[in-house]
Amino acid sequence: MDLLEQKDLHELSITEVTKEADCNRVTFYSHYRDLNALLEAIVADHLDGLTAHFRKSFEGRERFSSTDVERHLPIFEYIYQNQFIFSLIIKGEVLPGSQNLFCESLMRVSTIELKLEEETDIEIPTLNYFVTYGSLGFFLCWINQSFSTPPEAMAEKLAVLHGKMYGGAIVL
């Protein structure tokens, strides 16, 4: 990741990466076909971490409101701790489709593990897409502002926004 902070992916060589990682080219190629495959693996690891933090936001809770700040905070904290990689993922400029990977990773958790307490006229998958991709814009704005707002304040803003959209819907 340090090299990506210094150069664009297309400017990097396998030699530079292996030297930085203190391994040889054979070792590199035994794990990755090219630099894009390495970046895909790094992104996958960070998205796994993101989903773990998302699960942490409702772990041990039988129910919660969409306006609960604590529900949003772990996601913002994780992204804040990993600003550089999430800037790449959410902007989608280095790895094509990374924005979709980001949203799909959050949607998998919400689709499988969460449900609304009350009935809705909108199908849950449709609602999940709307919330997740709408939140992508929210995260993108945060990145474009150089993460200048603390994670706690961002979680609070998203909770307020969800409250206005969903009237504090209860999630089970």
Side-chain angles (χ1 to χ4, degrees), residues 16-31:
E16 288 175 295
V17 171
T18 56
K19 184 179 176 184
E20 180 76 16
D22 197 27
C23 70
N24 61 43
R25 293 171 65 87
V26 173
T27 302
F28 178 88
Y29 283 115
S30 69
H31 296 284

Side-chain angles (χ1 to χ4, degrees), residues 55 101 117 144 148 152:
R55 283 185 179 100
L101 293 172
E117 183 176 65
N144 288 337
S148 59
E152 297 80 8

Side-chain angles (χ1 to χ4, degrees), residues 15 17 40 43 59 87 90 97 115-116 119 127 135 166 170:
T15 303
V17 171
E40 288 169 8
V43 166
E59 192 175 78
S87 292
I90 293 172
K115 63 180 183 175
L116 290 176
E119 293 294 318
L127 186 59
S135 295
Y166 308 114
I170 301 297

Side-chain angles (χ1 to χ4, degrees), residues 13-171:
S13 69
I14 301 292
T15 303
E16 288 175 295
V17 171
T18 56
K19 184 179 176 184
E20 180 76 16
D22 197 27
C23 70
N24 61 43
R25 293 171 65 87
V26 173
T27 302
F28 178 88
Y29 283 115
S30 69
H31 296 284
Y32 311 104
R33 71 181 178 284
D34 56 21
L35 290 176
N36 278 335
L38 171 61
L39 184 59
E40 288 169 8
I42 292 168
V43 166
D45 284 346
H46 281 83
L47 291 177
D48 287 346
L50 179 70
T51 57
H53 278 73
F54 183 29
R55 283 185 179 100
K56 183 176 150 186
S57 72
F58 56 83
E59 192 175 78
R61 294 175 165 205
E62 199 169 299
R63 57 201 306 253
F64 56 86
S65 169
S66 59
T67 60
D68 288 345
V69 174
E70 300 81 27
R71 180 192 137 357
H72 303 288
L73 187 57
I75 297 171
F76 282 99
E77 289 175 334
Y78 187 73
I79 290 172
Y80 190 78
Q81 292 164 4
N82 299 281
Q83 292 177 22
F84 180 72
I85 187 66
F86 278 101
S87 292
L88 296 178
I89 293 169
I90 293 172
K91 286 183 174 181
E93 296 171 350
V94 175
L95 184 63
S98 60
Q99 292 173 321
N100 289 334
L101 293 172
F102 174 82
C103 290
E104 294 295 326
S105 66
L106 295 175
M107 282 189 41
R108 265 190 305 279
V109 173
S110 60
T111 300
I112 295 168
E113 300 179 30
L114 302 175
K115 63 180 183 175
L116 290 176
E117 183 176 65
E118 54 205 44
E119 293 294 318
T120 176
D121 293 337
I122 302 171
E123 301 84 13
I124 296 301
T126 303
L127 186 59
N128 280 339
Y129 272 101
F130 176 77
V131 170
T132 305
Y133 279 87
S135 295
L136 176 68
F138 198 79
F139 290 116
L140 186 57
C141 181
W142 191 34
I143 290 167
N144 288 337
Q145 295 170 350
S146 302
F147 297 95
S148 59
T149 305
E152 297 80 8
M154 291 302 293
E156 190 173 312
K157 288 179 183 184
L158 190 58
V160 168
L161 183 60
H162 279 192
K164 290 182 185 271
M165 290 189 326
Y166 308 114
I170 301 297
V171 181

